[in-house]
Amino acid sequence: MARVELRHITKTFRGLVALDGLSLDIGDGEFFVLLGPTGAGKTTALRLIAGLDAPDAGSILIGGQDVGTWSAAQRDVALVFQYYSLYPHYTVRENLEFPLKSKHRRMGASEIADRVARAARTLRIEHLLERQTDRLSGGEMQRVSIGRAIVRQPRIFLMDEPLSSLDAKLREILRAELKDLQMRLGATFLYVTHDQVEAMSMGDRIAVLNRGRIVQVGTPHQIYNEPRDTFVATFVGSPAMNLLGGTIRDGRLVVVPGRLEVQIRKDLAGRSGPVTLGVRSEDVAVGPGGGLEGQVYAVEDLGVEKIVTLKLNEHLVKATVSAQMAVEADSTVGFAFDPGKLQFFDARSGVRLDPVNGEAATATPGHT
Amino acid sequence: MADILLRDVEKHFGDNYIIRKLNLEIRHREFLVLLGPSGCGKTTTLRAIAGLETIDGGEILIDGQAVQRRRAAERDIAFVFQLFALYPHLTAYDNIAFPLRARKEPRNAVERQVREVARTLRIEALLDKRPSALSGGDMQRVAIGRALVRRPKALLMDEPIGALDAKLREEMRAELKHIHRQNEATTVYVTHDQVEAMAMADRIAIMDAGVLQQVGSPGDVYQHPANLFVAQFVGSPIMNVLPAAVRRGDGYTSLVLGEDDAILRFPGALYAEVVERRPTDGPLAVGIRPEGVLVSRQALDGYVPLEAHIVEPLGPYDIVDLKLGRRLLRCRTASRYVERAGDTVWARLDEKQTHFFDPRTGESLDIRL
């Protein structure tokens, strides 16, 4: 168990910048998630910490010590990948024992047996110990992969999309199991994913990465409710936050003159010109007397709720409504935005306009 | 536009049945989704309708005509695949125009129809571009345009947005639904993604292991799943399923969850219903979706105290796992309603959202309270 610090890490591959001055501080015992689209640099960061690659510049500290010159083995971290790297002709028990039997560990047989038994109990795979790994289901195989990491009792667990090759239902189950596991072990987890639901549901904190840079670090609640820019706002949350381009005129943000205008926050009163309005689908109320009017473009019944897409001129706005609400496609309905939940972004940079001072947030992201 | 009827359709390789006695009616202008896990037979069914796959038994009728012996080209059906099969050297316009030109339609008729389809699909500005200059979503729009422009009797789609990223899939869902309403082509759509199925379908046909499990509107299959497979395949998070027993009380029924882990007071009629519908005095399974678990931070009459095991914040709401004996009961609460793991909250099951199943057959007992 250890704290992990990344300081101004830069990494390029054949002239392409994969990581650009990345700084992170991951607390001891924290479940920390690196979230971003393909190519954001998440896996690169993980490999640098593991010691599988070396950074071009910057330093990596584990437990306060600079590990720049340490080998992967010396760093004492465990990696779990998307695809299970198990020995197919061996039993689950043999797979779990393997990392403990390496020569430089010199571990006694009873210690090995004890650690395997504990890991198997933790992961609820005791009944599978004598089974060959090629006879396991995907979920069981991934549990064994995680077991191989646990038996080593590493200082840090690094996980690279460990659930993404599993089906939706299994992912959902293992999500909760992994979170539970991390809490019970009290271990430092660094978890890489492109799936915002995984990030939100498991992370103590999330770092959102895009193009090799950190856009925002925060708790799931902060990331969702105070996204730093339009990238975070639309990457996190489903449906994606509605974004509407408008212009501030006389204290109002005008998206469609006369038809879609909202009162701006007091602190933005001095501003003029183009601003992007952001509103989440659950903050759009559909019903008469809303003040706004749109045509129902599509209705999606998800069972637990409905997502209604409203069309107003060329703009599409998604609203989450109760599953019981009757909404006719092509009909005209009233709707309203929750005035307290509106977000405003700089139209050019996409950066959120801070509610306190009305200026674009300027604090350096990364360190918190 | 057409209606499609599958009657006792079977497909097998030796003893390995891909489709078993499939009976399904796809109505004129309907958007029907075939939903199921990989290997359930949904794609084979779609390909059989298209004529890309032969069947070993039964009949396929399109507008009342048996077509199972007709070639694909004679069925007047358009197919859209997951991977956009566009001609890379042709512009979007020429790709869409292709099937019309192949039919030797006059030039101005081609132009009119291409423009009309492009307007529906909102790709008018992209018509001069080649596929390589288009995004994944736009490529798929062009592929759909090429299918629609033929005005086929039916449109068949095999995971058409499965290759797109999450945000684009979400956008395309609403788009496809809108497009369908504009052109009203009978559509059969295959997916393994229950969210996609729920979001787009007029009706969903759920398959497992070659067998049709249930057909119904999204609301129907969600609220009244016919069996445990459907109950747990549709909806996210998964429906909680717990072993249970009923005991007769004075004017009420006690519903005992797990191994006496919680005892909840249900209407008196429940006991008689269970006894009547369950063949023997065997075990009972209770299903409840996370939103059907009612949670209170204060003790309330009829609620039982449970400890929160894990809180998963998802943004607009939280998913909270409550400890119920050695099992977990998943519930959906307002964001930050349960502050932290370890907190005790009070919970009960909403009677109207509680499902009862025979755990041996998996069939719903169809008890509606």
Side-chain angles (χ1 to χ4, degrees):
Chain A
M1 271 142 275
R3 175 177 172 190
V4 182
E5 293 157 87
L6 269 57
R7 292 187 184 157
H8 311 294
I9 296 284
T10 297
K11 177 71 183 173
T12 54
F13 292 105
R14 292 194 200 93
L16 290 173
V17 180
L19 291 177
D20 187 4
L22 183 78
S23 291
L24 274 180
D25 188 347
I26 301 160
D28 185 6
E30 186 170 30
F31 198 127
F32 194 93
V33 178
L34 282 180
L35 171 69
T38 313
K42 315 181 291 285
T43 298
T44 304
L46 209 66
R47 291 177 59 86
L48 294 177
I49 296 169
L52 301 176
D53 286 318
D56 299 340
S59 49
I60 298 171
L61 284 77
I62 297 179
Q65 286 177 291
D66 191 324
V67 298
T69 58
W70 297 17
S71 71
Q74 286 170 320
R75 294 185 190 197
D76 195 16
V77 301
L79 262 167
V80 180
F81 296 99
Q82 174 176 359
Y83 298 100
Y84 353 105
S85 43
L86 301 178
Y87 299 101
H89 302 298
Y90 289 84
T91 63
V92 170
R93 181 188 297 283
E94 287 163 335
N95 267 279
L96 294 179
E97 286 170 348
F98 191 83
L100 302 179
K101 284 188 166 166
S102 85
K103 278 191 202 114
H104 66 258
R105 277 195 189 259
R106 297 165 188 273
M107 196 176 283
S110 66
E111 167 85 19
I112 291 178
D114 186 46
R115 285 199 186 191
V116 168
R118 254 186 296 159
R121 198 163 51 239
T122 306
L123 293 164
R124 298 187 197 92
I125 51 172
E126 292 150 291
H127 59 295
L128 303 174
L129 278 173
E130 311 312 328
R131 197 174 292 179
Q132 292 213 347
T133 52
D134 40 15
R135 292 185 44 226
L136 301 177
S137 70
E140 289 166 347
M141 281 205 257
Q142 198 54 289
R143 284 196 186 92
V144 176
S145 300
I146 295 163
R148 274 169 51 119
I150 291 177
V151 290
R152 292 177 42 196
Q153 303 182 353
R155 298 212 289 170
I156 311 157
F157 287 85
L158 304 176
M159 305 212 167
D160 193 359
E161 309 249 7
L163 307 184
S164 55
S165 60
L166 306 175
D167 71 42
K169 299 291 156 194
L170 204 49
R171 274 207 308 274
E172 200 182 277
I173 294 167
L174 282 178
R175 228 165 63 194
E177 282 191 14
L178 269 181
K179 174 82 189 166
D180 177 47
L181 175 70
Q182 185 270 341
M183 290 186 343
R184 277 185 290 148
L185 295 174
T188 309
F189 268 42
L190 178 56
Y191 187 101
V192 159
T193 183
H194 69 277
D195 180 339
Q196 60 94 15
V197 176
E198 278 182 19
M200 289 288 288
S201 59
M202 291 194 286
D204 293 323
R205 282 193 304 152
I206 300 169
V208 183
L209 248 70
N210 191 26
R211 297 167 193 236
R213 287 167 173 269
I214 287 185
V215 186
Q216 186 173 10
V217 180
T219 62
H221 191 83
Q222 286 168 338
I223 296 279
Y224 189 79
N225 293 291
E226 299 155 29
R228 184 171 184 275
D229 63 11
T230 49
F231 174 78
V232 178
T234 52
F235 196 76
V236 174
S238 172
M241 183 188 278
N242 295 297
L243 293 180
L244 300 160
T247 308
I248 292 187
R249 249 181 255 150
D250 308 325
R252 292 174 77 74
L253 179 63
V254 182
V255 179
V256 179
R259 295 199 61 205
L260 181 46
E261 300 186 3
V262 298
Q263 199 75 42
I264 55 167
R265 269 194 331 248
K266 284 199 187 76
D267 57 85
L268 298 173
R271 248 186 120 90
S272 62
V275 163
T276 302
L277 172 69
V279 58
R280 294 216 179 264
S281 66
E282 65 268 25
D283 300 321
V284 182
V286 174
L292 301 169
E293 228 172 48
Q295 204 185 16
V296 178
Y297 186 78
V299 182
E300 300 169 77
D301 183 354
L302 301 187
V304 63
E305 60 208 7
K306 283 179 182 163
I307 298 172
V308 179
T309 306
L310 302 161
K311 190 161 189 278
L312 201 160
N313 288 18
E314 77 277 25
H315 300 280
L316 294 178
V317 175
K318 286 192 196 289
T320 305
V321 304
S322 134
Q324 282 72 44
M325 185 185 245
V327 190
E328 274 304 312
D330 296 325
S331 65
T332 299
V333 296
F335 68 100
F337 298 150
D338 182 341
K341 297 287 181 65
L342 299 179
Q343 313 243 10
F344 301 90
F345 302 91
D346 185 272
R348 220 156 37 97
S349 66
V351 174
R352 183 163 170 269
L353 300 171
D354 195 299
V356 184
N357 56 23
E359 293 300 317
T362 48
T364 322
H367 267 69
T368 52
Chain B
M1 313 300 129
D3 59 343
I4 302 167
L5 193 62
L6 306 183
R7 208 180 268 162
D8 292 332
V9 169
E10 293 211 310
K11 173 86 184 174
H12 57 90
F13 297 103
D15 287 343
N16 181 17
Y17 275 78
I18 312 297
I19 307 170
R20 249 179 218 279
K21 290 267 178 232
L22 177 62
N23 285 286
L24 180 63
E25 187 192 358
I26 300 148
R27 298 167 190 156
H28 182 55
R29 293 181 170 177
E30 178 174 41
F31 196 126
L32 183 119
V33 175
L34 286 172
L35 172 69
S38 58
C40 74
K42 58 189 189 298
T43 295
T44 307
T45 303
L46 193 74
R47 293 175 60 85
I49 296 170
L52 301 173
E53 195 94 54
T54 58
I55 55 174
D56 301 316
E59 284 188 303
I60 298 173
L61 291 93
I62 298 179
D63 280 340
Q65 303 269 319
V67 297
Q68 64 271 16
R69 288 183 214 294
R70 286 200 207 156
R71 289 186 299 126
E74 296 167 350
R75 297 190 190 188
D76 193 13
I77 273 172
F79 210 108
V80 180
F81 297 91
Q82 175 169 7
L83 300 170
F84 344 104
L86 298 178
Y87 299 106
H89 61 289
L90 297 183
T91 62
Y93 182 99
D94 291 334
N95 263 287
I96 297 172
F98 195 87
L100 301 179
R101 288 175 178 157
R103 282 203 298 232
K104 306 224 182 321
E105 293 205 17
R107 196 186 167 134
N108 51 7
V110 170
E111 162 122 30
R112 183 177 46 77
Q113 293 176 76
V114 172
R115 300 252 170 235
E116 197 180 302
V117 163
R119 191 161 55 244
T120 314
L121 295 167
R122 306 204 302 166
I123 49 171
E124 293 151 289
L126 306 175
L127 287 175
D128 296 333
K129 296 205 158 107
R130 297 213 174 153
S132 57
L134 299 176
S135 70
D138 289 335
M139 278 203 260
Q140 199 54 291
R141 282 192 177 90
V142 174
I144 292 165
R146 198 176 55 188
L148 286 178
V149 81
R150 288 169 44 192
R151 301 191 172 277
K153 281 189 177 165
L155 191 59
L156 308 185
M157 301 204 226
D158 189 5
E159 310 245 4
I161 60 178
L164 307 178
D165 71 41
K167 295 293 149 199
L168 203 49
R169 276 208 307 276
E170 197 177 276
E171 258 172 52
M172 286 298 288
R173 263 170 20 203
E175 287 292 344
L176 284 175
K177 186 143 192 182
H178 182 75
I179 290 163
H180 173 252
R181 226 181 32 259
Q182 301 290 300
N183 71 33
E184 300 191 304
T186 304
T187 302
V188 189
Y189 185 106
V190 159
T191 183
H192 68 279
D193 180 341
Q194 61 93 16
V195 179
E196 236 171 83
M198 290 290 290
M200 290 192 286
D202 292 325
R203 287 191 308 152
I204 305 176
I206 298 153
M207 295 180 73
D208 184 37
V211 179
L212 182 65
Q213 304 290 315
Q214 187 173 3
V215 188
S217 70
D220 225 25
V221 297
Y222 190 83
Q223 287 155 30
H224 307 293
N227 58 39
L228 280 171
F229 176 82
V230 174
Q232 295 203 288
F233 197 79
V234 171
S236 173
I238 309 169
M239 181 189 282
N240 297 289
V241 175
L242 303 159
V246 284
R247 285 189 208 135
R248 181 156 37 188
D250 185 10
Y252 61 90
T253 304
S254 290
L255 183 67
V256 184
L257 299 178
E259 286 81 46
D260 278 352
D261 298 317
I263 300 173
L264 299 168
R265 194 172 271 223
F266 266 63
L270 174 63
Y271 185 83
E273 291 244 25
V274 169
V275 170
E276 182 192 331
R277 285 164 200 253
R278 195 174 44 174
T280 55
D281 188 25
L284 180 69
V286 155
I288 184 87
R289 296 199 183 277
E291 68 269 23
V293 181
L294 308 180
V295 178
S296 164
R297 282 191 292 224
Q298 288 87 40
L300 287 177
D301 194 30
Y303 286 60
V304 293
L306 297 174
E307 185 192 326
H309 179 57
I310 282 181
V311 180
E312 296 186 342
L314 291 185
Y317 56 88
D318 291 348
I319 297 297
V320 182
D321 286 357
L322 303 174
K323 282 189 193 172
L324 186 72
R326 58 187 177 84
R327 295 184 183 77
L328 294 173
L329 181 65
R330 222 156 220 220
C331 61
R332 174 174 158 137
T333 69
S335 177
R336 288 181 158 180
Y337 186 76
V338 179
E339 279 172 41
R340 60 183 68 81
D343 285 3
T344 293
V345 294
W346 282 260
R348 75 172 176 90
L349 310 188
D350 178 10
E351 293 149 8
K352 290 204 178 332
Q353 296 185 66
T354 306
H355 305 263
F356 301 89
F357 301 94
D358 180 337
R360 287 166 310 183
T361 63
E363 294 303 309
S364 168
L365 300 181
D366 203 24
I367 296 172
R368 297 184 188 184
L369 296 172

